[in-house]
Amino acid sequence: MFYSRQPNPDWLPVSVLMESLRDHTGPFRVLVTGGSGLVGRAIQHVVKEEGAGKEGEEWIFLSSKDANLMTMEETQAAFRKHRPTHVIHLAAMVGGLFKNMRANLDFWRNNIHINDNVLQAAHEVGVVKVVSCLSTCIFPDKTNYPIDETMIHNGPPHQSNFGYSYAKRMLDVHNRAYFQQYGRCYTAVIPTNVFGPHDNFSIEDGHVLPGLIHKTYSAKKECKPLIVWGSGSPRRQFIYSLDLARLFLWVLREYHEVDPIILSVGEEDEVSIKEAAEAVAQALDFKGEVVYDTSKADGQFKKTASNSKLLRYLPNFTFTPFNQALKDTCEWFVANYDTARK
Ligand code: NAP
Ligand code: GFB
Protein backbone atom coordinates (compact mmCIF):
# COMPACT_ATOMS: atom_id res chain seq x y z
CA MET A 1 0.00 0.00 0.00
CA PHE A 2 1.68 3.26 -1.05
CA TYR A 3 0.86 6.77 0.07
CA SER A 4 1.26 9.97 -1.88
CA ARG A 5 3.20 11.46 1.03
CA GLN A 6 5.24 9.25 3.36
CA PRO A 7 5.10 10.55 6.96
CA ASN A 8 8.51 11.70 8.12
CA PRO A 9 9.83 8.55 9.86
CA ASP A 10 11.73 10.81 12.27
CA TRP A 11 8.39 11.99 13.64
CA LEU A 12 6.73 8.64 14.16
CA PRO A 13 7.71 5.64 16.27
CA VAL A 14 8.24 2.92 13.67
CA SER A 15 5.68 0.64 15.40
CA VAL A 16 2.93 3.22 14.87
CA LEU A 17 4.05 3.77 11.28
CA MET A 18 4.12 0.06 10.46
CA GLU A 19 0.87 -0.55 12.37
CA SER A 20 -1.02 1.98 10.31
CA LEU A 21 0.67 1.26 6.97
CA ARG A 22 0.19 -2.50 7.29
CA ASP A 23 -2.02 -3.94 4.59
CA HIS A 24 -5.32 -4.89 6.13
CA THR A 25 -5.63 -8.56 5.23
CA GLY A 26 -8.76 -9.60 7.17
CA PRO A 27 -12.37 -9.03 5.99
CA PHE A 28 -13.61 -5.45 6.09
CA ARG A 29 -16.11 -4.34 8.69
CA VAL A 30 -17.31 -1.08 7.16
CA LEU A 31 -19.17 1.51 9.20
CA VAL A 32 -21.04 4.09 7.08
CA THR A 33 -21.97 7.23 9.00
CA GLY A 34 -24.86 9.11 7.40
CA GLY A 35 -26.01 5.76 6.03
CA SER A 36 -29.68 6.80 5.88
CA GLY A 37 -29.17 9.77 3.54
CA LEU A 38 -29.02 10.26 -0.22
CA VAL A 39 -25.45 8.98 -0.62
CA GLY A 40 -25.69 6.41 2.18
CA ARG A 41 -28.78 4.78 0.66
CA ALA A 42 -27.02 4.66 -2.72
CA ILE A 43 -24.07 2.83 -1.14
CA GLN A 44 -26.53 0.45 0.55
CA HIS A 45 -28.02 -0.23 -2.90
CA VAL A 46 -24.74 -1.01 -4.65
CA VAL A 47 -23.51 -3.16 -1.75
CA LYS A 48 -26.73 -5.12 -1.27
CA GLU A 49 -28.33 -5.08 -4.75
CA GLU A 50 -25.32 -4.90 -7.08
CA GLY A 51 -23.13 -7.33 -5.15
CA ALA A 52 -20.42 -4.72 -4.55
CA GLY A 53 -19.77 -6.18 -1.10
CA LYS A 54 -17.20 -8.97 -0.76
CA GLU A 55 -17.43 -12.40 0.88
CA GLY A 56 -17.14 -12.12 4.66
CA GLU A 57 -17.53 -8.33 4.72
CA GLU A 58 -19.85 -6.68 7.20
CA TRP A 59 -21.53 -3.35 6.37
CA ILE A 60 -23.17 -1.21 9.07
CA PHE A 61 -25.22 1.84 8.04
CA LEU A 62 -25.82 4.39 10.81
CA SER A 63 -28.47 7.10 11.05
CA SER A 64 -28.67 9.81 13.71
CA LYS A 65 -31.07 7.54 15.61
CA ASP A 66 -28.23 5.05 16.16
CA ALA A 67 -25.87 7.75 17.45
CA ASN A 68 -25.90 11.53 17.54
CA LEU A 69 -22.37 12.11 16.22
CA MET A 70 -22.47 15.66 17.56
CA THR A 71 -21.64 14.18 20.98
CA MET A 72 -18.31 12.39 21.54
CA GLU A 73 -19.82 9.95 24.04
CA GLU A 74 -22.39 8.61 21.55
CA THR A 75 -19.82 8.58 18.77
CA GLN A 76 -17.32 6.60 20.84
CA ALA A 77 -20.07 4.21 21.96
CA ALA A 78 -21.03 3.47 18.35
CA PHE A 79 -17.40 2.90 17.33
CA ARG A 80 -16.70 0.69 20.37
CA LYS A 81 -19.89 -1.29 19.67
CA HIS A 82 -19.14 -1.96 15.99
CA ARG A 83 -15.30 -1.92 16.02
CA PRO A 84 -15.09 -1.09 12.30
CA THR A 85 -11.92 -1.69 10.29
CA HIS A 86 -12.98 0.88 7.67
CA VAL A 87 -15.30 3.91 7.74
CA ILE A 88 -17.14 5.82 5.03
CA HIS A 89 -17.95 9.10 6.76
CA LEU A 90 -20.98 10.80 5.20
CA ALA A 91 -22.83 12.17 8.23
CA ALA A 92 -23.18 15.95 8.08
CA MET A 93 -25.55 18.87 8.24
CA VAL A 94 -26.32 19.17 4.51
CA GLY A 95 -28.47 21.50 2.43
CA GLY A 96 -28.88 23.57 -0.67
CA LEU A 97 -27.92 27.17 -1.30
CA PHE A 98 -30.85 28.73 0.57
CA LYS A 99 -30.52 26.59 3.72
CA ASN A 100 -26.80 27.42 3.79
CA MET A 101 -27.49 31.15 3.46
CA ARG A 102 -29.85 30.96 6.45
CA ALA A 103 -27.59 28.97 8.79
CA ASN A 104 -23.86 29.35 8.13
CA LEU A 105 -23.04 29.20 11.87
CA ASP A 106 -24.97 25.95 12.36
CA PHE A 107 -23.33 24.40 9.28
CA TRP A 108 -19.89 25.34 10.68
CA ARG A 109 -20.45 24.18 14.28
CA ASN A 110 -22.42 21.01 13.60
CA ASN A 111 -20.06 19.73 10.94
CA ILE A 112 -16.89 20.61 12.86
CA HIS A 113 -18.19 18.66 15.90
CA ILE A 114 -19.32 15.66 13.86
CA ASN A 115 -16.06 15.46 11.91
CA ASP A 116 -13.78 15.81 14.95
CA ASN A 117 -15.76 13.19 16.89
CA VAL A 118 -15.83 10.67 14.04
CA LEU A 119 -12.14 10.87 13.14
CA GLN A 120 -10.98 10.73 16.78
CA ALA A 121 -13.30 7.81 17.58
CA ALA A 122 -12.04 6.02 14.46
CA HIS A 123 -8.42 6.57 15.49
CA GLU A 124 -9.11 5.36 19.05
CA VAL A 125 -10.50 2.00 17.86
CA GLY A 126 -7.76 1.59 15.26
CA VAL A 127 -9.77 2.08 12.07
CA VAL A 128 -7.39 1.36 9.18
CA LYS A 129 -9.01 3.74 6.70
CA VAL A 130 -11.62 6.52 6.75
CA VAL A 131 -13.06 8.01 3.56
CA SER A 132 -14.73 11.34 4.35
CA CYS A 133 -16.73 13.68 2.14
CA LEU A 134 -15.89 17.22 1.01
CA SER A 135 -17.77 19.00 -1.82
CA THR A 136 -16.89 20.97 -4.96
CA CYS A 137 -18.73 23.97 -3.48
CA ILE A 138 -15.97 24.43 -0.86
CA PHE A 139 -13.30 25.60 -3.33
CA PRO A 140 -12.26 29.28 -3.55
CA ASP A 141 -14.92 31.43 -5.20
CA LYS A 142 -12.32 33.46 -7.10
CA THR A 143 -10.31 30.80 -8.91
CA ASN A 144 -9.07 29.50 -12.23
CA TYR A 145 -10.98 26.77 -14.02
CA PRO A 146 -11.19 23.88 -14.09
CA ILE A 147 -10.81 23.46 -10.34
CA ASP A 148 -8.55 20.62 -9.21
CA GLU A 149 -7.69 18.92 -5.89
CA THR A 150 -4.68 21.16 -5.22
CA MET A 151 -6.78 24.32 -4.96
CA ILE A 152 -8.90 23.69 -1.82
CA HIS A 153 -7.21 26.23 0.45
CA ASN A 154 -6.29 28.87 -2.15
CA GLY A 155 -8.77 31.52 -1.06
CA PRO A 156 -12.14 32.14 0.59
CA PRO A 157 -15.17 30.13 -0.50
CA HIS A 158 -18.38 31.67 -1.80
CA GLN A 159 -20.05 33.75 0.93
CA SER A 160 -23.35 31.83 0.61
CA ASN A 161 -21.99 28.71 2.31
CA PHE A 162 -18.76 29.70 4.07
CA GLY A 163 -19.72 27.86 7.27
CA TYR A 164 -20.16 24.51 5.52
CA SER A 165 -17.15 25.11 3.26
CA TYR A 166 -14.67 25.88 6.05
CA ALA A 167 -15.93 22.95 8.13
CA LYS A 168 -15.38 20.65 5.15
CA ARG A 169 -11.93 22.11 4.44
CA MET A 170 -10.93 21.30 8.03
CA LEU A 171 -11.60 17.61 7.23
CA ASP A 172 -8.64 17.80 4.83
CA VAL A 173 -6.55 19.41 7.60
CA HIS A 174 -7.70 16.67 10.01
CA ASN A 175 -6.66 13.95 7.55
CA ARG A 176 -3.17 15.40 7.05
CA ALA A 177 -2.68 15.71 10.79
CA TYR A 178 -3.75 12.11 11.52
CA PHE A 179 -1.35 10.97 8.80
CA GLN A 180 1.58 13.06 10.00
CA GLN A 181 1.17 12.24 13.69
CA TYR A 182 -0.08 8.65 13.52
CA GLY A 183 0.40 7.53 9.93
CA ARG A 184 -3.36 7.02 9.53
CA CYS A 185 -4.64 6.72 5.97
CA TYR A 186 -7.64 8.94 6.48
CA THR A 187 -8.64 10.49 3.17
CA ALA A 188 -11.59 12.25 1.47
CA VAL A 189 -13.53 12.45 -1.77
CA ILE A 190 -14.86 15.68 -3.30
CA PRO A 191 -18.21 15.02 -5.00
CA THR A 192 -19.93 17.60 -7.14
CA ASN A 193 -23.72 18.16 -6.74
CA VAL A 194 -25.31 14.77 -6.10
CA PHE A 195 -28.88 13.71 -6.90
CA GLY A 196 -30.89 10.49 -6.89
CA PRO A 197 -33.48 8.40 -5.01
CA HIS A 198 -33.82 9.10 -1.24
CA ASP A 199 -32.67 12.70 -1.76
CA ASN A 200 -34.02 15.52 0.42
CA PHE A 201 -36.80 16.91 -1.80
CA SER A 202 -37.55 19.82 0.54
CA ILE A 203 -38.18 22.93 -1.57
CA GLU A 204 -36.80 25.27 1.13
CA ASP A 205 -33.81 23.24 2.36
CA GLY A 206 -32.90 20.86 -0.47
CA HIS A 207 -30.57 21.14 -3.45
CA VAL A 208 -31.63 22.41 -6.85
CA LEU A 209 -32.52 19.17 -8.66
CA PRO A 210 -34.68 17.63 -5.92
CA GLY A 211 -36.24 21.07 -5.38
CA LEU A 212 -37.08 21.39 -9.07
CA ILE A 213 -38.43 17.82 -9.20
CA HIS A 214 -40.73 18.53 -6.26
CA LYS A 215 -41.84 21.91 -7.67
CA THR A 216 -42.45 20.49 -11.16
CA TYR A 217 -44.46 17.59 -9.75
CA SER A 218 -46.67 20.05 -7.84
CA ALA A 219 -46.95 22.52 -10.77
CA LYS A 220 -48.15 19.73 -13.05
CA LYS A 221 -50.69 18.46 -10.52
CA GLU A 222 -52.03 21.98 -9.78
CA CYS A 223 -51.75 23.28 -13.39
CA LYS A 224 -49.54 26.16 -12.24
CA PRO A 225 -46.26 27.58 -13.64
CA LEU A 226 -42.95 26.04 -12.54
CA ILE A 227 -41.04 28.71 -10.59
CA VAL A 228 -37.28 28.37 -10.99
CA TRP A 229 -35.28 30.44 -8.50
CA GLY A 230 -32.60 32.85 -9.71
CA SER A 231 -31.70 33.70 -13.31
CA GLY A 232 -31.11 30.12 -14.46
CA SER A 233 -27.66 31.07 -15.76
CA PRO A 234 -25.41 29.50 -13.03
CA ARG A 235 -23.73 26.29 -14.11
CA ARG A 236 -23.42 22.94 -12.29
CA GLN A 237 -22.05 19.43 -12.76
CA PHE A 238 -24.39 16.76 -11.39
CA ILE A 239 -23.39 13.23 -10.40
CA TYR A 240 -25.96 10.45 -10.00
CA SER A 241 -25.90 9.03 -6.46
CA LEU A 242 -25.50 5.44 -7.69
CA ASP A 243 -22.44 6.38 -9.78
CA LEU A 244 -20.97 8.14 -6.74
CA ALA A 245 -21.66 5.05 -4.62
CA ARG A 246 -19.81 2.81 -7.09
CA LEU A 247 -16.86 5.22 -6.96
CA PHE A 248 -16.93 5.25 -3.16
CA LEU A 249 -16.44 1.47 -3.14
CA TRP A 250 -13.41 1.86 -5.43
CA VAL A 251 -11.95 4.62 -3.20
CA LEU A 252 -12.44 2.44 -0.12
CA ARG A 253 -10.61 -0.51 -1.64
CA GLU A 254 -8.12 0.90 -4.16
CA TYR A 255 -7.38 4.60 -3.50
CA HIS A 256 -4.49 4.98 -1.03
CA GLU A 257 -3.65 8.69 -1.08
CA VAL A 258 -4.35 11.02 1.82
CA ASP A 259 -4.84 13.78 -0.75
CA PRO A 260 -8.54 14.08 -1.66
CA ILE A 261 -9.94 13.11 -5.07
CA ILE A 262 -12.72 14.85 -7.02
CA LEU A 263 -15.60 12.54 -7.97
CA SER A 264 -17.52 14.33 -10.71
CA VAL A 265 -18.73 14.06 -14.26
CA GLY A 266 -16.52 15.88 -16.76
CA GLU A 267 -16.37 19.62 -17.41
CA GLU A 268 -18.15 18.96 -20.69
CA ASP A 269 -21.19 17.65 -18.76
CA GLU A 270 -21.75 20.92 -16.93
CA VAL A 271 -25.25 22.35 -17.52
CA SER A 272 -26.96 25.63 -16.68
CA ILE A 273 -29.74 25.72 -14.09
CA LYS A 274 -32.05 26.61 -17.01
CA GLU A 275 -31.02 23.46 -18.89
CA ALA A 276 -31.47 21.43 -15.68
CA ALA A 277 -34.98 22.86 -15.19
CA GLU A 278 -35.88 22.02 -18.79
CA ALA A 279 -34.56 18.48 -18.32
CA VAL A 280 -36.70 18.05 -15.18
CA ALA A 281 -39.78 19.36 -17.03
CA GLN A 282 -39.11 16.87 -19.82
CA ALA A 283 -38.56 13.97 -17.40
CA LEU A 284 -41.91 14.71 -15.70
CA ASP A 285 -43.67 15.56 -18.97
CA PHE A 286 -44.49 19.04 -17.68
CA LYS A 287 -45.68 21.31 -20.48
CA GLY A 288 -46.70 24.36 -18.44
CA GLU A 289 -45.06 27.76 -18.13
CA VAL A 290 -41.57 28.07 -16.63
CA VAL A 291 -40.94 31.34 -14.76
CA TYR A 292 -37.58 32.58 -13.39
CA ASP A 293 -37.81 34.40 -10.03
CA THR A 294 -34.74 36.64 -10.22
CA SER A 295 -35.46 38.04 -6.75
CA LYS A 296 -33.94 34.78 -5.46
CA ALA A 297 -30.15 34.35 -5.20
CA ASP A 298 -28.08 32.66 -7.88
CA GLY A 299 -25.32 31.67 -5.44
CA GLN A 300 -22.00 30.61 -6.96
CA PHE A 301 -22.02 31.16 -10.73
CA LYS A 302 -19.97 28.05 -11.39
CA LYS A 303 -17.56 25.61 -9.71
CA THR A 304 -16.34 23.71 -12.74
CA ALA A 305 -14.25 20.81 -11.45
CA SER A 306 -11.80 18.60 -13.31
CA ASN A 307 -12.18 14.82 -12.96
CA SER A 308 -8.86 14.14 -14.69
CA LYS A 309 -7.28 12.67 -11.52
CA LEU A 310 -10.18 10.19 -11.27
CA LEU A 311 -9.91 9.30 -14.96
CA ARG A 312 -6.18 8.70 -14.58
CA TYR A 313 -7.09 5.98 -12.10
CA LEU A 314 -10.29 4.79 -13.81
CA PRO A 315 -10.03 5.70 -17.51
CA ASN A 316 -13.00 3.51 -18.43
CA PHE A 317 -15.47 4.58 -15.75
CA THR A 318 -18.80 5.42 -17.37
CA PHE A 319 -21.30 7.79 -15.75
CA THR A 320 -25.03 7.22 -16.09
CA PRO A 321 -26.29 9.68 -18.76
CA PHE A 322 -27.83 12.72 -17.01
CA ASN A 323 -31.28 12.43 -18.60
CA GLN A 324 -31.50 8.72 -17.73
CA ALA A 325 -30.45 9.35 -14.12
CA LEU A 326 -32.93 12.23 -13.88
CA LYS A 327 -35.73 10.06 -15.29
CA ASP A 328 -34.96 7.31 -12.75
CA THR A 329 -34.93 9.86 -9.91
CA CYS A 330 -38.24 11.40 -11.01
CA GLU A 331 -39.83 7.98 -11.25
CA TRP A 332 -38.59 7.17 -7.75
CA PHE A 333 -39.99 10.45 -6.40
CA VAL A 334 -43.42 9.93 -7.98
CA ALA A 335 -43.58 6.33 -6.74
CA ASN A 336 -42.46 7.30 -3.22
CA TYR A 337 -44.09 10.73 -2.93
CA ASP A 338 -45.86 9.96 0.34
CA THR A 339 -42.71 8.86 2.18
CA ALA A 340 -39.99 10.91 0.47
CA ARG A 341 -38.18 13.59 2.52
CA LYS A 342 -39.77 16.89 1.40
P1 NAP B 1 -28.33 13.74 3.58
O1 NAP B 1 -29.19 13.03 2.61
O2 NAP B 1 -28.82 15.00 4.21
O3 NAP B 1 -27.93 12.70 4.74
C1 NAP B 1 -27.20 13.18 5.85
C2 NAP B 1 -26.89 11.99 6.70
O4 NAP B 1 -26.16 12.43 7.85
C3 NAP B 1 -28.16 11.29 7.22
O5 NAP B 1 -27.94 9.91 7.26
C4 NAP B 1 -28.30 11.87 8.61
O6 NAP B 1 -28.98 11.00 9.51
C5 NAP B 1 -26.84 11.98 9.01
N1 NAP B 1 -26.66 12.93 10.10
C6 NAP B 1 -26.90 14.27 10.09
N2 NAP B 1 -26.64 14.79 11.30
C7 NAP B 1 -26.24 13.75 12.11
C8 NAP B 1 -25.84 13.63 13.47
N3 NAP B 1 -25.80 14.69 14.27
N4 NAP B 1 -25.51 12.41 13.95
C9 NAP B 1 -25.54 11.33 13.14
N5 NAP B 1 -25.89 11.37 11.84
C10 NAP B 1 -26.24 12.57 11.33
O7 NAP B 1 -26.91 14.10 2.93
P2 NAP B 1 -26.19 13.51 1.64
O8 NAP B 1 -26.59 14.34 0.47
O9 NAP B 1 -26.36 12.02 1.60
O10 NAP B 1 -24.67 13.87 1.95
C11 NAP B 1 -23.78 12.87 2.40
C12 NAP B 1 -22.40 13.49 2.39
O11 NAP B 1 -22.09 13.94 1.06
C13 NAP B 1 -22.27 14.72 3.28
O12 NAP B 1 -21.04 14.70 3.97
C14 NAP B 1 -22.32 15.89 2.30
O13 NAP B 1 -21.62 17.01 2.80
C15 NAP B 1 -21.65 15.29 1.10
N6 NAP B 1 -22.00 15.93 -0.18
C16 NAP B 1 -23.31 15.98 -0.59
C17 NAP B 1 -23.61 16.59 -1.82
C18 NAP B 1 -25.03 16.67 -2.34
O14 NAP B 1 -25.24 17.32 -3.38
N7 NAP B 1 -26.00 16.05 -1.70
C19 NAP B 1 -22.58 17.14 -2.61
C20 NAP B 1 -21.26 17.04 -2.16
C21 NAP B 1 -20.98 16.44 -0.93
P3 NAP B 1 -30.61 11.07 9.64
O15 NAP B 1 -31.13 10.42 8.41
O16 NAP B 1 -30.93 10.32 10.89
O17 NAP B 1 -30.96 12.54 9.71
O1 GFB C 1 -28.08 22.83 -5.25
P1 GFB C 1 -28.14 24.26 -4.89
O2 GFB C 1 -29.21 24.70 -3.93
O3 GFB C 1 -26.80 24.74 -4.25
O4 GFB C 1 -28.30 25.10 -6.27
P2 GFB C 1 -25.41 25.10 -4.91
C1 GFB C 1 -28.54 26.48 -6.20
C2 GFB C 1 -28.68 27.06 -7.61
O5 GFB C 1 -29.89 26.55 -8.22
C3 GFB C 1 -28.84 28.56 -7.53
C4 GFB C 1 -30.82 27.66 -8.42
O6 GFB C 1 -28.37 29.14 -8.73
C5 GFB C 1 -30.36 28.71 -7.42
O7 GFB C 1 -30.80 30.01 -7.85
N1 GFB C 1 -32.19 27.16 -8.16
C6 GFB C 1 -33.23 27.31 -9.00
C7 GFB C 1 -32.60 26.49 -7.08
N2 GFB C 1 -34.35 26.77 -8.47
C8 GFB C 1 -33.97 26.22 -7.26
C9 GFB C 1 -34.67 25.50 -6.28
O8 GFB C 1 -35.87 25.22 -6.39
N3 GFB C 1 -33.95 25.08 -5.20
C10 GFB C 1 -32.62 25.36 -5.06
N4 GFB C 1 -31.97 24.90 -3.96
N5 GFB C 1 -31.91 26.08 -5.98
C11 GFB C 1 -24.60 24.00 -2.71
C12 GFB C 1 -23.92 24.41 -1.44
O9 GFB C 1 -24.45 25.04 -3.63
O10 GFB C 1 -23.99 22.86 -3.28
C13 GFB C 1 -23.96 23.30 -0.45
O11 GFB C 1 -24.54 25.57 -0.91
C14 GFB C 1 -23.65 21.96 -1.05
O12 GFB C 1 -23.08 23.60 0.60
C15 GFB C 1 -24.21 21.76 -2.44
O13 GFB C 1 -22.27 21.76 -1.07
C16 GFB C 1 -23.59 20.55 -3.10
O14 GFB C 1 -24.99 24.07 -5.89
O15 GFB C 1 -25.45 26.52 -5.34
Side-chain angles (χ1 to χ4, degrees), residues 29-43:
R29 186 163 53 254
V30 186
L31 184 72
V32 181
T33 74
S36 51
L38 163 67
V39 181
R41 293 297 294 268
I43 292 175

Side-chain angles (χ1 to χ4, degrees), residues 273-290:
I273 297 298
K274 180 172 186 297
E275 288 166 326
E278 288 163 355
V280 169
Q282 187 180 5
L284 285 170
D285 194 27
F286 172 74
K287 302 207 181 345
E289 187 188 3
V290 179

